[in-house]
Amino acid sequence: MEQSKKYYEAYDDRYKQVHKESLTWFSDNNSKIVIDTINHYFDNHNINILEIGCGEGRDAKYLLNKGFNVLATDISPAAIDFCKKNHPEQEDCYQVLNCLTDRLQDKFDFIYAISVIHMLVQDEDRQSFYKFIYDQLNESGIALICSIGDGMEERKTDISQAFNLQKRIHEATRKELLIASTSCRMVSFETLFKEISENNLTMLDSGITSIQPDFPTIMYITIKKKN
């Protein structure tokens, strides 16, 4: 593992490696759970939205095109550069951000993170993730977190291997790529609920959904600050 980088920064390597092949890692399909959550908890477009881990920008692009005010962030400069180049008319809406160490001046009505928390393996990093959400939410704000898993299985990868290259099949093209292994920690709903409660947040809703074709099974939880 590269000692100068944190293990979760291996995702930046993966984006560079995939984009070098003129491919995208994820599909362009927006995550329906995001707009469904907005429609359930908010009655108009006049809300400030923050995305943590926007990747190649599929969800931010969808919301921006629907007229929402969105700041889409990612720890990966390669991912943000991709978004800015592919959506130049909205480039100011994309920003490099490490949610574990950085803070934004604004607070937000709605924060969402699709398949981000799973990349954080160490407990202290997961705590920092929740602390960021707490700090950046308005007092009445809502957050949506989606995590890879079925709600029962618990396992984690070896973070020392995050930057190691491995062969992976690109879903859309079936092309074999040599890319960074990255990191993954799957937790049960029991663990997820405990983490939420320990970080001054409270659950509003939870369940299992699907974000095709990238995440056939993914957990979701909607939360707010504890009163």
Side-chain angles (χ1 to χ4, degrees):
M1 182 174 67
E2 297 181 26
Q3 297 302 315
S4 61
K5 293 183 178 181
K6 297 290 188 179
Y7 66 92
Y8 47 78
E9 293 182 83
Y11 281 81
D12 187 51
D13 282 20
R14 177 174 288 188
Y15 283 123
K16 289 177 183 176
Q17 291 151 357
V18 172
H19 296 165
K20 186 177 179 181
E21 300 292 327
S22 299
L23 299 172
T24 57
W25 184 240
F26 293 109
S27 74
D28 201 36
N29 297 342
N30 67 289
S31 308
K32 188 173 180 292
I33 184 70
V34 174
I35 191 64
D36 285 349
T37 303
I38 291 172
N39 289 337
H40 181 76
Y41 289 102
F42 303 96
D43 57 9
N44 60 65
H45 281 51
N46 190 29
I47 56 175
N48 289 328
I49 300 175
L50 173 66
E51 179 173 13
I52 305 172
C54 66
E56 291 156 329
R58 61 180 183 181
D59 287 312
K61 178 183 72 172
Y62 176 84
L63 293 179
L64 287 166
N65 289 341
K66 290 287 186 180
F68 287 98
N69 179 29
V70 182
L71 175 62
T73 67
D74 201 287
I75 194 173
S76 166
I80 295 300
D81 184 58
F82 176 91
C83 292
K84 287 176 176 286
K85 286 182 178 178
N86 283 272
H87 312 294
E89 71 285 358
Q90 300 164 336
E91 64 175 347
D92 291 343
C93 299
Y94 296 94
Q95 178 178 324
V96 176
L97 177 82
N98 182 341
C99 68
L100 305 190
T101 59
D102 299 336
R103 288 295 182 271
L104 296 165
Q105 190 171 24
D106 294 335
K107 293 186 181 291
F108 298 86
D109 303 302
F110 180 56
I111 298 175
Y112 68 95
I114 306 300
S115 191
V116 173
I117 186 67
H118 85 269
M119 79 177 188
L120 302 176
V121 175
Q122 297 182 312
D123 288 340
E124 57 265 36
D125 294 330
R126 296 172 71 87
Q127 297 287 324
S128 295
F129 172 84
Y130 294 120
K131 181 67 163 55
F132 175 85
I133 289 178
Y134 183 91
D135 289 345
Q136 300 293 166
L137 269 179
N138 284 327
E139 290 306 309
S140 60
I142 303 295
L144 167 70
I145 300 171
C146 292
S147 180
I148 289 176
D150 60 6
M152 297 177 289
E153 182 181 2
E154 299 222 357
R155 62 179 175 85
K156 58 184 177 181
T157 59
D158 180 354
I159 63 173
S160 70
Q161 306 298 309
F163 288 91
N164 290 359
L165 297 179
Q166 65 172 200
K167 292 180 180 179
R168 291 285 298 272
I169 300 299
H170 186 255
E171 184 71 26
T173 64
R174 309 311 299 168
K175 182 177 181 178
E176 186 177 86
L177 302 177
L178 197 61
I179 57 175
S181 299
T182 68
S183 55
C184 180
R185 179 176 175 184
M186 294 171 58
V187 301
S188 65
F189 272 123
E190 181 180 358
T191 296
L192 194 60
F193 296 159
K194 182 180 178 182
E195 290 177 339
I196 293 297
S197 180
E198 289 174 345
N199 285 278
N200 296 314
L201 299 161
T202 188
M203 183 185 70
L204 298 173
D205 191 20
S206 65
I208 299 288
T209 190
S210 177
I211 302 174
Q212 294 287 357
D214 301 298
F215 308 111
T217 302
I218 194 166
M219 306 156 61
Y220 73 87
I221 183 169
T222 52
I223 57 178
K224 66 175 184 176
K225 292 183 177 183
K226 284 183 178 178
N227 294 329

mmCIF file of all heavy atoms in Angstrom, residues 8 21 48 69 136 184:
data_model
loop_
_atom_site.group_PDB
_atom_site.id
_atom_site.type_symbol
_atom_site.label_atom_id
_atom_site.label_comp_id
_atom_site.label_asym_id
_atom_site.label_seq_id
_atom_site.Cartn_x
_atom_site.Cartn_y
_atom_site.Cartn_z
ATOM 1 N N TYR A 8 -8.380 4.406 1.651
ATOM 2 C CA TYR A 8 -9.594 4.705 0.895
ATOM 3 C C TYR A 8 -9.332 5.602 -0.319
ATOM 4 O O TYR A 8 -10.212 5.768 -1.160
ATOM 5 C CB TYR A 8 -10.666 5.327 1.800
ATOM 6 C CG TYR A 8 -10.178 6.443 2.690
ATOM 7 C CD1 TYR A 8 -9.965 7.727 2.195
ATOM 8 C CD2 TYR A 8 -9.932 6.214 4.037
ATOM 9 C CE1 TYR A 8 -9.518 8.748 3.006
ATOM 10 C CE2 TYR A 8 -9.476 7.235 4.866
ATOM 11 C CZ TYR A 8 -9.276 8.493 4.352
ATOM 12 O OH TYR A 8 -8.829 9.511 5.161
ATOM 13 N N GLU A 21 -8.599 3.998 -20.027
ATOM 14 C CA GLU A 21 -9.103 3.084 -21.059
ATOM 15 C C GLU A 21 -10.319 3.664 -21.789
ATOM 16 O O GLU A 21 -10.977 2.960 -22.561
ATOM 17 C CB GLU A 21 -9.494 1.746 -20.426
ATOM 18 C CG GLU A 21 -8.355 1.024 -19.720
ATOM 19 C CD GLU A 21 -7.311 0.525 -20.695
ATOM 20 O OE1 GLU A 21 -7.688 0.165 -21.825
ATOM 21 O OE2 GLU A 21 -6.117 0.497 -20.315
ATOM 22 N N ASN A 48 -31.014 22.827 -0.239
ATOM 23 C CA ASN A 48 -29.582 22.685 -0.504
ATOM 24 C C ASN A 48 -29.183 21.227 -0.324
ATOM 25 O O ASN A 48 -29.437 20.636 0.737
ATOM 26 C CB ASN A 48 -28.769 23.562 0.455
ATOM 27 C CG ASN A 48 -28.907 25.030 0.139
ATOM 28 O OD1 ASN A 48 -29.075 25.414 -1.015
ATOM 29 N ND2 ASN A 48 -28.841 25.869 1.161
ATOM 30 N N ASN A 69 -30.456 22.365 -6.381
ATOM 31 C CA ASN A 69 -29.191 22.993 -6.009
ATOM 32 C C ASN A 69 -28.320 21.939 -5.341
ATOM 33 O O ASN A 69 -28.562 21.545 -4.202
ATOM 34 C CB ASN A 69 -29.450 24.159 -5.061
ATOM 35 C CG ASN A 69 -28.171 24.834 -4.611
ATOM 36 O OD1 ASN A 69 -27.174 24.838 -5.326
ATOM 37 N ND2 ASN A 69 -28.199 25.387 -3.402
ATOM 38 N N GLN A 136 -22.602 18.925 9.008
ATOM 39 C CA GLN A 136 -23.025 19.622 7.785
ATOM 40 C C GLN A 136 -24.537 19.643 7.578
ATOM 41 O O GLN A 136 -25.030 20.349 6.698
ATOM 42 C CB GLN A 136 -22.354 18.983 6.565
ATOM 43 C CG GLN A 136 -20.835 19.017 6.573
ATOM 44 C CD GLN A 136 -20.243 20.415 6.454
ATOM 45 O OE1 GLN A 136 -19.062 20.627 6.701
ATOM 46 N NE2 GLN A 136 -21.034 21.391 6.070
ATOM 47 N N CYS A 184 -13.318 -2.481 1.187
ATOM 48 C CA CYS A 184 -14.752 -2.728 1.388
ATOM 49 C C CYS A 184 -14.993 -3.289 2.785
ATOM 50 O O CYS A 184 -14.271 -4.177 3.241
ATOM 51 C CB CYS A 184 -15.271 -3.712 0.343
ATOM 52 S SG CYS A 184 -17.047 -4.079 0.505
#
